[in-house]
Amino acid sequence: MSTIPFEELYQTGREAQRERYRRIAAGYEAHFGKGEVSFFSAPGRTEVGGNHTDHNHGNVLAAAVNLDIVAAAAPIAEPVVRLHSEEYPGTDEIILSELAPQKEEEGTSAALLRGVCARCRELGYRVGGFQAYTATQVLKGSGLSSSAAFEIALVTIISHLFNDGDIDPVTAAQIAQYAENVYFGKPSGLMDQMACSVGGFTAMDFRDPKKPVLEKVEFPLEKAGYALCIVDTGGNHADLTGEYAAIPAEMKAVARELGASVLRDVQEEDFHARMGELRQKLGDRAVLRALHFFRDNTLAQEEAACLKERDFPGFLSRVVASGRSSALCLQNLYACSDPAHQGLTLALALSESILEGKGAWRVHGGGFAGTIQAFVPREMLETYRAQIEAVFGEGACHVLSVRSAGGVQVKLTKM
């Protein structure tokens, strides 16, 4: 994991970021006292293609974004880790001799902190005591993976404070996923953590999750004349773990009926040949979700190929197709238990109406609540933003850029 100059990491808005870093340094001093600190940054991520394909060892196209979490951290002599976040009261504290999972911690930042430390040690990395103060721009419940950004920030701290930056981005992502699965209690795939760790547009093939194949795809989105928008519909992901967990569970149930553990190991023609039998055994939704896997697994690969070939119209058409597959087959636009709240569906319908066949729109992230993603022609951006925010409120439309760096130590020449 690398070290990057502040000026290289923040291409725009540097003075505002510098002021933010000063605030973070002051926050560290207020909670932990004066001392020399190092700074670390990890980005949020946007999923571009491959909605819920990673947990069945499929393909994904993702990108790191310019919203990040920043930590000021320093090692201490005590075998203790303390972390305070600007956004939340209280300070998490774990003792490094007590790293077993704590059931009562599930769903908390302390669980992620304990899990990251534990997994780093299990893999043979050094973990010493440290104190950290964090502040994030990655919106919670936004589908930009605030939890994955937090996890990658923690691994980045440990990598640089105690291991000379030797934890590579893939291993960092695997450590973060382990903490989220085993300690936090959320059965996520590896895509979120990988996108936050690697940075840029990244095509990911999870056929072997222990050795994912990654390819960075260089594409200047701004030069194509489009803006990447994330629309916050006002929902959040609280109490939706069961909805998320049902997706991989149903996909894997179909795979088991076809003699495999995941759908990536199933021949698509075998699935189609036995579809009638599968729906009788497992129900229509499980079959539809498996159908989505095969569709979106292919679309994610085609999207990456289009970007590499500079075929942006082809890319946009596949993003729209991916969104339709999520809506029709994956069925993750709203929770069945709460049909009155369908902000994602409404935002997608509005986007289709406003853009009138230009650009692209799709559900963003895990779905069920939170955000949609849209690629909007620059000349339509203000119209799009105004009409979306008239429905979902001022500030609901976030215009982002793609960040090339993943989890990094930030080198400052001045504060």
Side-chain angles (χ1 to χ4, degrees):
M1 305 183 82
S2 62
T3 299
I4 189 169
F6 175 90
E7 291 78 10
E8 183 178 332
L9 184 62
Y10 301 105
Q11 299 289 323
T12 60
R14 285 180 186 157
E15 285 312 307
Q17 289 291 351
R18 203 177 294 279
E19 177 56 35
R20 179 180 174 221
Y21 273 63
R22 286 193 285 264
R23 189 182 75 243
I24 292 167
Y28 180 95
E29 182 176 325
H31 281 83
F32 303 120
K34 290 185 177 182
E36 185 176 344
V37 297
S38 299
F39 290 94
F40 305 89
S41 166
R45 72 96 183 100
T46 182
E47 172 198 283
V48 181
N51 196 212
H52 284 282
T53 54
D54 58 330
H55 47 58
N56 268 258
H57 299 188
N59 286 274
V60 175
L61 178 65
V65 298
N66 59 316
L67 300 181
D68 66 346
I69 181 172
V70 171
I76 59 175
E78 300 172 77
V80 172
V81 175
R82 300 185 184 96
L83 184 141
H84 184 88
S85 296
E86 181 180 70
E87 298 78 19
Y88 303 102
T91 298
D92 292 327
E93 179 174 306
I94 65 168
I95 300 171
L96 291 175
S97 60
E98 300 174 5
L99 294 181
Q102 307 291 316
K103 186 69 176 176
E104 65 275 11
E105 279 184 352
E106 284 190 3
T108 69
S109 57
L112 295 175
L113 183 59
R114 193 183 303 273
V116 165
C117 291
R119 190 58 173 165
C120 284
R121 277 199 171 169
E122 287 173 6
L123 295 177
Y125 294 106
R126 295 183 296 277
V127 181
F130 66 91
Q131 296 174 152
Y133 183 93
T134 68
T136 188
Q137 297 174 323
V138 186
L139 307 173
K140 183 177 175 60
S142 66
L144 295 172
S145 291
S146 57
S147 60
F150 177 72
E151 294 152 13
I152 294 300
L154 295 177
V155 182
T156 305
I157 291 169
I158 292 170
S159 178
H160 285 276
L161 291 187
F162 306 108
N163 296 279
D164 299 319
D166 286 343
I167 304 179
D168 65 88
V170 172
T171 302
Q174 292 168 335
I175 290 168
Q177 183 203 21
Y178 178 90
E180 187 157 313
N181 291 173
V182 177
Y183 282 71
F184 189 82
K186 182 177 179 181
S188 68
L190 188 58
M191 185 270 289
D192 292 352
Q193 292 82 2
M194 195 70 75
C196 295
S197 184
V198 174
F201 276 112
T202 307
M204 310 176 193
D205 186 339
F206 293 108
R207 182 180 289 278
D208 181 355
K210 294 182 179 179
K211 296 180 180 179
V213 178
L214 309 179
E215 182 182 5
K216 271 206 168 187
V217 182
E218 299 296 335
F219 185 84
L221 182 63
E222 290 77 11
K223 290 183 180 179
Y226 279 78
L228 168 61
C229 295
I230 300 297
V231 177
D232 186 352
T233 66
N236 63 64
H237 294 90
D239 301 320
L240 290 174
T241 298
E243 296 278 4
Y244 299 131
I247 292 176
E250 291 178 8
M251 287 184 179
K252 289 175 181 177
V254 172
R256 285 194 297 272
E257 289 294 327
L258 295 169
S261 58
V262 293
L263 287 173
R264 184 64 181 272
D265 294 333
V266 170
Q267 295 296 317
E268 187 174 357
E269 55 267 31
D270 292 342
F271 164 70
H272 283 281
R274 294 180 58 185
M275 192 178 291
E277 171 194 339
L278 291 167
R279 68 185 293 259
Q280 293 298 323
K281 285 188 175 182
L282 302 174
D284 290 332
R285 191 174 73 169
V287 172
L288 282 164
R289 285 175 164 171
L291 181 60
H292 166 80
F293 171 86
F294 291 113
R295 287 181 176 178
D296 223 25
N297 190 55
T298 298
L299 286 167
Q301 297 173 74
E302 292 178 352
E303 287 169 6
C306 286
L307 289 181
K308 285 188 286 185
E309 295 164 6
R310 298 298 191 264
D311 176 13
F312 201 64
F315 166 79
L316 292 174
S317 70
R318 285 162 175 82
V319 171
V320 172
S322 172
R324 287 175 177 161
S325 181
S326 290
L328 182 66
C329 299
L330 189 59
Q331 298 183 19
N332 66 332
L333 298 190
Y334 65 93
C336 294
S337 60
D338 188 17
H341 293 95
Q342 297 194 34
L344 296 180
T345 313
L346 178 57
L348 290 168
L350 281 171
S351 296
E352 184 174 23
S353 176
I354 297 165
L355 296 175
E356 297 180 331
K358 299 176 183 178
W361 49 92
R362 69 191 289 275
V363 64
H364 182 245
F368 299 110
T371 59
I372 69 159
Q373 177 189 83
F375 291 90
V376 180
R378 281 281 173 182
E379 66 271 16
M380 300 183 69
L381 180 56
E382 291 312 312
T383 297
Y384 179 80
R385 190 193 333 232
Q387 293 189 38
I388 284 290
E389 293 189 351
V391 176
F392 293 102
E394 185 177 354
C397 182
H398 302 275
V399 182
L400 306 181
S401 61
V402 174
R403 165 172 148 162
S404 62
V408 292
Q409 183 175 16
V410 183
K411 182 179 180 181
L412 284 90
T413 54
K414 66 175 183 176
M415 281 295 288

